[in-house]
Amino acid sequence: MYFAALLARTEDGWEASDTELDDVETLSDLADLAREASPDEDTVLVLIEQEDAWFGVVRVDGEEDPRIYVSDAAAAARSSYGEILLTDELLGRDPDDGDDLDALDLDGTEDGESDEDDDDAEDGAGPAGSAESVPHGPVGDALILDDLGVSEKELRLMSTEAVTEIAESLGASETLETVR
């Protein structure tokens, strides 16, 4: 079970809206969706949680690059929404590293494995997926909410109810509950 919401900071406080991520395929799409929530280029937070597994925060401040924090990269890697957040840059990978190996077709199909297995491996769901290269535990900018009153330590200690905890810390829990 997933929950995703946008919290946009305005001069009148925080405004919340739930959001459908079905049409979001990349981090760029997600950042554009966040920017649409705040025409005045104020801070927008995209809060995503998968029940009892992981949560993510994407912060968009105007036209700046989005900042990202994911509580458990390995758990998020098994989720289509998590994969949006787990960019090569966030994971410290060189995006060109895999291109040469892909061109060599060293994916195991020469041993008679089906292409379906390849699809599973590419998205991290299969046994040979990219889970080995994705760390267990948090990744990203742990100071993402520091200037809003949520310290790095507090963020790292948050439970699976992190979205609610973040909203409470921002003084936006009632606003968030209107879209939950």
Side-chain angles (χ1 to χ4, degrees):
M1 176 93 179
Y2 291 95
F3 174 71
L6 296 173
L7 280 179
R9 187 165 65 175
T10 68
E11 52 189 52
D12 297 327
W14 291 95
E15 291 182 7
S17 58
D18 62 344
T19 186
E20 282 295 324
L21 299 179
D22 294 341
D23 295 331
V24 174
E25 295 180 9
T26 65
L27 181 59
S28 183
D29 293 344
L30 188 59
D32 290 344
L33 183 69
R35 286 183 185 104
E36 289 172 13
S38 179
D40 295 331
E41 297 189 6
D42 291 318
T43 299
V44 179
L45 303 175
V46 181
L47 305 173
I48 303 170
E49 70 182 8
Q50 180 182 3
E51 193 171 279
D52 298 328
W54 66 276
F55 70 91
V57 179
V58 178
R59 179 176 176 161
V60 178
D61 292 301
E63 291 300 317
E64 292 181 28
D65 288 340
R67 296 167 56 192
I68 305 165
Y69 176 82
V70 176
S71 66
D72 186 337
R78 294 185 295 271
S79 154
S80 59
Y81 297 138
E83 287 180 344
I84 293 169
L85 305 181
L86 297 175
T87 63
D88 287 331
E89 182 181 340
L90 187 71
L91 296 173
R93 295 189 297 214
D94 182 357
D96 296 329
D97 281 351
D99 292 347
D100 293 336
L101 292 177
D102 289 342
L104 293 175
D105 195 25
L106 297 175
D107 59 5
T109 55
E110 60 274 2
D111 295 328
E113 294 176 10
S114 73
D115 287 339
E116 284 181 52
D117 292 339
D118 295 340
D119 292 342
D120 287 345
E122 287 174 10
D123 70 14
S130 60
E132 292 175 16
S133 63
V134 177
H136 291 273
V139 295
D141 183 356
L143 296 172
I144 192 168
L145 301 173
D146 195 55
D147 65 324
L148 299 174
V150 180
S151 71
E152 174 182 2
K153 182 179 179 180
E154 290 170 315
L155 188 63
R156 290 186 187 272
L157 292 174
M158 287 190 174
S159 70
T160 55
E161 296 292 320
V163 168
T164 301
E165 293 174 41
I166 290 168
E168 286 174 5
S169 296
L170 299 175
S173 57
E174 288 181 20
T175 303
L176 182 67
E177 286 305 314
T178 63
V179 297
R180 201 178 258 280

